Amino acid sequence: MPDKKPSSTKIGPFELYAVESGRFRLDGGAMFGVVPKTLWSRHIDCDEKNRIPMAMRCLLIKSDNTGKIYLVDTGTGTKFDEKMNSIYAVDHDHSDLLRSLKQCGVAPGDITDIIFSHLHFDHCGGTTYYDEQGELRHRFPNAAYHVNERHLQNALNPNAREKASFLKDNIEPISQSGRLNTVGDNHTYEEGLHSLPADGHSVGQQLPVVEADGKTVVFTADLIPTHVHIPLPWVMGYDMQPIKTLQEKEAYLTRAARENWHLFLEHDAEKEVITVQDDNGKFSVKETMKLSQV
Ligand SMILES: [Zn+2]
């Protein structure tokens, strides 16, 4: 399937692009936690291995005010061997980070800042690659890497349950790059671009927020990976602190409905952006749109 041109929009001084970096698949049961398959399978199809389709939709942000070009997350990248590619059904024919960036008129050297929501492999793997000699190289030679400081500690000292998500050939080059900038919670990158903390999935996850022209676009990362995760109890089995996720979803979705936030979905294979409605604490999708319609 040929790549589709990335959807884009301009709000205030920011040009935003939905940058697809590839597709992959994860176990449907793990993606929906305590929700039985008889329920989740009404909303999303799985393959013969019980895996559901997932996007790795990064967000490119060009700022007129500072001239900076931010990339939020980098997908799995291309470092997996055949076995890992097959376990996760990684598909770069559908889309690829470099091809998608090129369609936005951006070369790897143009990226000034990479904001990592967190360092699980499907969010930071594309930062580095193996060259033809098998040497590990940085894909974006001029970019500063921004990671929440609590998350970095978590990634460097993971518990046994989260360990499989933090891969050495992802984490080491980022932490030893000399370009790593650790940020606190609610960090402001520049006027109109800040982040919100969301610890339930992984300690120190940050959700970048673009706010301008009366519009708010929130990169929901793994707090709300797909639109199917909008109902409060639909929390991933992967989450380290599911009760915390529940509280964070309730707080953020309440604001999202009241303040008409546009939720940018990193992992939804179909929907790029949604808004939500709040019916006395029962949340549901209100509108579905492309980023270009925000
Ligand atoms: Zn994650």
Side-chain angles (χ1 to χ4, degrees):
M1 201 194 327
D3 295 3
K4 279 183 260 155
K5 201 169 168 11
S7 179
S8 67
T9 192
K10 175 128 201 213
I11 63 169
F14 301 106
E15 266 175 62
L16 309 183
Y17 298 80
V19 174
E20 294 242 17
S21 74
R23 291 291 169 105
F24 73 128
R25 287 176 176 269
L26 287 177
D27 182 80
M31 281 301 293
F32 292 106
V34 297
V35 179
K37 186 176 182 182
T38 45
L39 292 185
W40 63 254
S41 62
R42 290 181 199 166
H43 300 273
I44 194 158
D45 289 332
C46 61
D47 67 9
E48 71 290 349
K49 291 180 173 163
N50 211 46
R51 300 173 302 183
I52 62 165
M54 309 263 293
M56 293 182 281
R57 190 176 289 110
C58 310
L59 178 63
L60 181 75
I61 306 168
K62 294 185 188 175
S63 166
D64 279 355
N65 281 349
T66 58
K68 289 188 172 182
I69 302 182
Y70 300 88
L71 181 62
V72 180
D73 286 354
T74 61
T76 55
T78 56
K79 296 196 297 295
F80 278 169
D81 60 17
E82 231 170 277
K83 185 180 167 199
M84 291 288 274
N85 274 329
S86 131
I87 288 171
Y88 295 112
V90 175
D91 176 6
H92 285 121
D93 291 332
H94 173 280
S95 51
D96 164 87
L97 182 55
L98 288 194
R99 292 205 306 273
S100 294
L101 287 173
K102 196 171 177 192
Q103 288 179 312
C104 305
V106 170
D110 298 338
I111 303 286
T112 60
D113 296 82
I114 297 178
I115 302 175
F116 293 108
S117 63
H118 61 303
L119 296 173
H120 287 170
F121 64 79
D122 51 321
H123 299 259
C124 72
T127 312
T128 47
Y129 66 102
Y130 287 111
D131 69 11
E132 281 160 20
Q133 283 73 46
E135 296 283 336
L136 198 53
R137 301 253 177 230
H138 288 261
R139 184 66 87 184
F140 304 98
N142 303 314
Y145 300 146
H146 305 282
V147 178
N148 179 284
E149 58 197 356
R150 292 185 300 117
H151 186 69
L152 183 68
Q153 290 318 311
N154 180 29
L156 294 174
N157 310 289
N159 64 55
R161 190 164 173 266
E162 194 170 11
K163 209 171 180 170
S165 297
F166 292 123
L167 306 183
K168 197 169 166 229
D169 64 357
N170 287 338
I171 307 297
E172 273 190 1
I174 291 172
S175 63
Q176 295 168 8
S177 63
R179 294 190 259 133
L180 177 63
N181 175 43
T182 53
V183 301
D185 294 354
N186 301 295
H187 181 72
T188 298
Y189 289 92
E190 64 175 84
E191 193 187 336
L193 175 60
H194 67 280
S195 65
L196 295 170
D199 286 355
H201 173 67
S202 179
V203 167
Q205 178 181 222
Q206 57 172 338
L207 313 180
V209 180
V210 177
E211 220 168 356
D213 258 1
K215 291 177 182 167
T216 304
V217 176
V218 180
F219 186 92
T220 58
D222 279 350
L223 175 69
I224 301 168
T226 77
H227 75 282
V228 186
H229 292 87
I230 291 296
L232 292 181
W234 292 53
V235 169
M236 287 195 279
Y238 292 114
D239 285 14
M240 292 301 130
Q241 304 176 76
I243 296 301
K244 182 114 201 181
T245 298
L246 198 61
Q247 293 160 349
E248 290 166 345
K249 277 176 74 177
E250 185 166 24
Y252 287 138
L253 286 171
T254 300
R255 286 188 66 189
R258 195 172 56 215
E259 300 168 25
N260 198 40
W261 286 2
H262 291 89
L263 306 181
F264 182 96
L265 302 174
E266 183 168 19
H267 286 312
D268 198 300
E270 305 291 335
K271 301 183 194 304
E272 243 169 53
V273 176
I274 57 170
T275 58
V276 294
Q277 56 202 0
D278 177 355
D279 181 14
N280 286 320
K282 196 165 176 274
F283 297 96
S284 57
V285 175
K286 185 176 164 194
E287 283 177 293
T288 296
M289 66 195 83
K290 303 293 277 183
L291 184 61
S292 56
Q293 295 167 304
V294 169

